[in-house]
Amino acid sequence: MEDSLSKYLRDALEGSLEEIDPRMRISTKISDIIRAVDKAFSLPANYPKGNGKEFLHWLEKYHPGALLVPTLRSAGSRHDLNVEGAGAIYYNRNLYIQFLDEQLETPNASNILQENLFIILSSEEMIALCRLCSIFHFAFSLPLRWLAGNTQDLAKYGWSVFSMSRALNTFEKAMESVIGDADFILDEDWIMNVFKDIADDIPEFKEH
């Protein structure tokens, strides 16, 4: 999924990307964006060149009480990183942009990571990428993870490890529908009820 989305964006933005200084290291891969945001805005400030502490101080001063969704720690390798980490970026993007704008307006400012993120987070196409991955996280990744992680407790509903094939078949049919009409992705009522038939059989899953 990531490779296909990245190639689609590279092709769509080919002209614009060619005009950007290569030293900015602009990437259309969502995993690269998530790692860059983690480096720059992680509040524990684990990356020496990041701005987690400065960002927190700025946030408390200019946006007290604002909801900030924590960035996803991107160290290591996780299969769900590309969708789980996108939500924080999509929700926090306006705060990130404001902070980066002020930082880059400072005389003699020179920070490739900040410039990289300012360009990416100012792009409608990149924002759309984060939105799409966020939708996949809530509509598909979380439900499938819940079922996989709770299968051992669902025998009373006739659900077992073999029943996961039913969930995967449901997911596959949903993707076939999206191929036929991509607007389904933006239909909240449809996409948040893809697993409705399974939820009707398992009350705990429906509550989740």
Side-chain angles (χ1 to χ4, degrees), residues 33-42 47 71-75:
I33 300 171
I34 291 170
R35 290 189 172 90
V37 167
D38 182 34
K39 287 181 178 180
F41 294 107
S42 174
Y47 184 65
T71 58
L72 184 69
R73 187 171 181 272
S74 59

Side-chain angles (χ1 to χ4, degrees), residues 188-204:
E188 182 178 358
D189 184 62
W190 178 81
I191 202 162
M192 296 307 294
N193 285 285
V194 165
F195 298 103
K196 183 179 183 303
D197 288 346
I198 297 176
D200 287 342
D201 293 340
I202 305 174
E204 289 93 333

Side-chain angles (χ1 to χ4, degrees), residues 46-101:
N46 294 319
Y47 184 65
K49 297 180 181 179
N51 298 102
K53 290 183 179 179
E54 294 90 339
F55 176 63
L56 179 60
H57 174 74
W58 175 88
L59 187 69
E60 292 174 340
K61 181 178 180 179
Y62 296 106
H63 298 277
L67 174 62
L68 182 72
V69 179
T71 58
L72 184 69
R73 187 171 181 272
S74 59
S77 177
R78 291 180 50 182
H79 294 298
D80 54 1
L81 170 71
N82 297 341
V83 293
E84 185 172 357
I89 299 174
Y90 183 73
Y91 189 88
N92 298 336
R93 68 190 187 283
N94 289 329
L95 294 172
Y96 291 159
I97 284 290
Q98 291 178 47
F99 175 79
L100 291 170
D101 184 47

Side-chain angles (χ1 to χ4, degrees), residues 19-199:
E19 297 177 2
I20 300 175
D21 189 333
R23 73 186 182 89
M24 293 296 105
R25 304 170 189 170
I26 301 299
S27 172
T28 55
K29 297 186 71 171
I30 187 63
S31 60
D32 290 340
I33 300 171
I34 291 170
R35 290 189 172 90
V37 167
D38 182 34
K39 287 181 178 180
F41 294 107
S42 174
L43 299 186
N46 294 319
Y47 184 65
K49 297 180 181 179
N51 298 102
K53 290 183 179 179
E54 294 90 339
F55 176 63
L56 179 60
H57 174 74
W58 175 88
L59 187 69
E60 292 174 340
K61 181 178 180 179
Y62 296 106
H63 298 277
L67 174 62
L68 182 72
V69 179
T71 58
L72 184 69
R73 187 171 181 272
S74 59
S77 177
R78 291 180 50 182
H79 294 298
D80 54 1
L81 170 71
N82 297 341
V83 293
E84 185 172 357
I89 299 174
Y90 183 73
Y91 189 88
N92 298 336
R93 68 190 187 283
N94 289 329
L95 294 172
Y96 291 159
I97 284 290
Q98 291 178 47
F99 175 79
L100 291 170
D101 184 47
E102 291 185 17
Q103 291 286 300
L104 294 172
E105 283 186 347
T106 304
N108 302 317
S110 179
N111 187 308
I112 291 178
L113 178 59
Q114 289 183 351
E115 293 180 65
N116 169 287
L117 285 173
F118 186 82
I119 293 170
I120 288 173
L121 299 177
S122 298
S123 165
E124 290 184 359
E125 289 83 0
M126 295 301 194
I127 293 171
L129 173 64
C130 292
R131 183 185 182 189
L132 174 63
C133 290
S134 299
I135 291 172
F136 264 75
H137 174 58
F138 289 107
F140 301 120
S141 180
L142 283 181
L144 288 171
R145 279 167 50 181
W146 190 94
L147 286 170
N150 290 276
T151 291
Q152 70 278 6
D153 301 319
L154 304 176
K156 58 186 175 182
Y157 302 113
W159 187 272
S160 70
V161 64
F162 299 106
S163 304
M164 284 302 298
S165 61
R166 178 184 170 191
L168 293 177
N169 287 337
T170 299
F171 173 68
E172 182 179 16
K173 289 179 181 177
M175 291 300 94
E176 290 173 350
S177 297
V178 170
I179 291 174
D181 184 356
D183 286 344
F184 275 122
I185 285 288
L186 300 178
D187 185 337
E188 182 178 358
D189 184 62
W190 178 81
I191 202 162
M192 296 307 294
N193 285 285
V194 165
F195 298 103
K196 183 179 183 303
D197 288 346
I198 297 176

